[in-house]
Amino acid sequence: MELNGKVAVVTGAGRGLGLAYAAELARAGAAVVVNDADAATAEAAAKQIGDAGGRAVAHPAAVGPAETADALVARAVAEFGRLDVMVTNAGVLRDRVLWKMTDDDFDTVVQVHLRGTFTCARAAARRFREQGDGGRLILVGSPAGQRGNFGQTNYAAAKAGIVGFVRTWAMELARADVTVNAVVPVAATAMTETIPALAPYVEAMRRGEEMPPFARRALAFGTPEDAAGLVAFLASDAASGITGQAIGVGGDRLSLWTHPTQAVAAYRDGGWSAADIAAAWPTIFAEHQQSVGENLPREQTR
C-alpha cells in the first residue's frame, strides 16, 4: 500500500489507535498532520513518526469546533500542499448509567465524537471538492455503536451516528470520487481497559506480554497496530471502489458489519391495532427479537 504523495490528517493521534493509524500512514509514504488535544502528546507523536523516517507535523487542538477542523485542513495544505485523507479518531469517555449521566457527560462525548467527526469531515470534503481529484474519509466507529454497551449512552449514540454519517456521505460524495467508510476497531487502549472482560489483556500488553490466541481470535482483540493496516488500505488506491461500509478489525479478525435490515415483516389488511400486535407478536416476531451488547465469550480456565 504505497501512499507516496498523499497527505493525511489524523485526529486524536497522540497515542493508542490514533498514533498507530498515523504511524502506519506515514510508513506507507503519506505526510501526516498529527492532531491531539494535548500539545506535548501531539509533538511527541509527530517526533516519533519523524524519527522513524516519516513526515509529520503536530497540530494540537480539541476537535469539535469548526475552527479546529478548518485549521487542520489548512495546516495540511500549508505544510504539504494538499489533503487526501481525513481520519476522525479523536474521542473521550464519560461512562455512567442513564440515570446518573449528567448533561456535561453527554455533551462532552457527543461534542468530540459526533460533532468532531462532522466538522472535520465537512472541512475535508470541501477541500476534496475544491481539489477535484477525490479523497478518503475514514471515520472511526465502535462495536458499542453497533450493538450498544452498558453505561455508554453518550458514546454508543455518537458511534452509531458516525456510521449513519458514513451511509449518507457515501451517497453525497460519490460524484466527487470521495469514499467514506467506518473502521470499527477493537484494541488494547485506555478506552477498552474500562471493559472488565478486556482489562486484563490491556494490562498484559502494557507489561510487554503477547496477546493470547483467545483474545486475538475469540475476542478479536489485539494491539492498536493490528488495526492500522485497515486504515492504510482504505487510504490507498486499492480501496477506490469501497465506500459506505463499516469494517471491523481487531486481533486476527477482519469483518464486514451489515447495515440494519428488517428481520421479519407481517401484513394485515387495514393495519395493526394494539390488540392485533399483541396477538401476532408471540408467533411471528418473538423469535426474531434482537440481542443487545457484545456478549463476549469467556476464556475457559482449568
Side-chain angles (χ1 to χ4, degrees):
M1 297 296 108
E2 290 191 2
L3 300 176
N4 296 325
K6 304 290 187 182
V7 179
V9 170
V10 183
T11 69
R15 57 172 64 90
L17 281 164
L19 176 55
Y21 300 153
E24 182 65 13
L25 290 168
R27 189 199 65 76
V32 183
V33 175
V34 175
N35 162 259
D36 197 272
D38 182 77
T41 301
E43 293 288 353
K47 184 179 185 301
Q48 178 180 324
I49 291 169
D51 289 346
R55 293 187 297 158
V57 295
H59 191 97
V63 302
E67 293 79 9
T68 296
D70 294 339
L72 286 168
V73 172
R75 184 69 185 279
V77 174
E79 293 283 347
F80 304 116
R82 59 181 294 109
L83 178 67
D84 300 282
V85 182
M86 173 64 76
V87 183
T88 59
N89 170 76
V92 295
L93 290 179
R94 297 289 188 274
D95 292 357
R96 283 182 176 82
V97 291
L98 173 60
W99 55 95
K100 293 183 179 180
M101 184 167 289
T102 67
D103 290 357
D104 185 64
D105 293 332
F106 184 85
D107 291 344
T108 297
V109 171
V110 170
Q111 168 79 359
V112 175
H113 287 277
L114 196 62
R115 185 177 177 83
T117 296
F118 162 67
T119 56
C120 288
R122 181 180 61 185
R126 288 170 173 168
R127 180 63 192 181
F128 295 155
R129 286 168 55 82
E130 180 181 336
Q131 290 174 174
D133 51 6
R136 300 283 189 272
L137 292 179
I138 302 172
L139 318 182
V140 178
S142 168
Q146 303 293 95
R147 305 207 30 107
N149 194 39
F150 190 95
Q152 291 193 318
T153 292
N154 43 13
Y155 180 74
K159 290 301 189 182
I162 286 169
V163 176
F165 286 162
V166 166
R167 296 174 187 144
T168 300
W169 297 342
M171 293 185 286
E172 293 180 349
L173 292 168
R175 292 186 63 181
D177 198 26
V178 175
T179 66
V180 190
N181 293 287
V183 172
V184 184
V186 182
T189 67
M191 285 191 172
T192 50
E193 74 178 340
T194 64
I195 302 172
L198 301 179
Y201 301 111
V202 179
E203 286 301 318
M205 186 192 75
R206 287 177 176 163
R207 293 193 299 267
E209 299 174 15
E210 289 189 7
M211 201 71 68
F214 176 82
R216 295 188 61 85
R217 290 289 180 118
L219 302 179
F221 190 68
T223 67
E225 289 72 24
D226 288 322
L230 174 58
V231 172
F233 166 70
L234 290 173
S236 75
D237 292 342
S240 62
I242 301 171
T243 193
Q245 304 305 303
I247 307 169
V249 63
D252 295 334
R253 186 170 74 191
L254 182 69
S255 60
L256 186 63
W257 285 89
T258 62
H259 289 178
T261 186
Q262 296 180 43
V264 63
Y267 300 87
R268 186 178 185 281
D269 291 342
W272 293 84
S273 69
D276 295 329
I277 296 170
W281 194 271
T283 57
I284 300 176
F285 296 96
E287 65 177 308
H288 298 284
Q289 290 179 153
Q290 304 297 291
S291 62
V292 297
E294 273 289 274
N295 300 317
L296 296 173
R298 294 182 178 273
E299 187 170 8
Q300 300 299 312
T301 57
R302 295 181 179 179

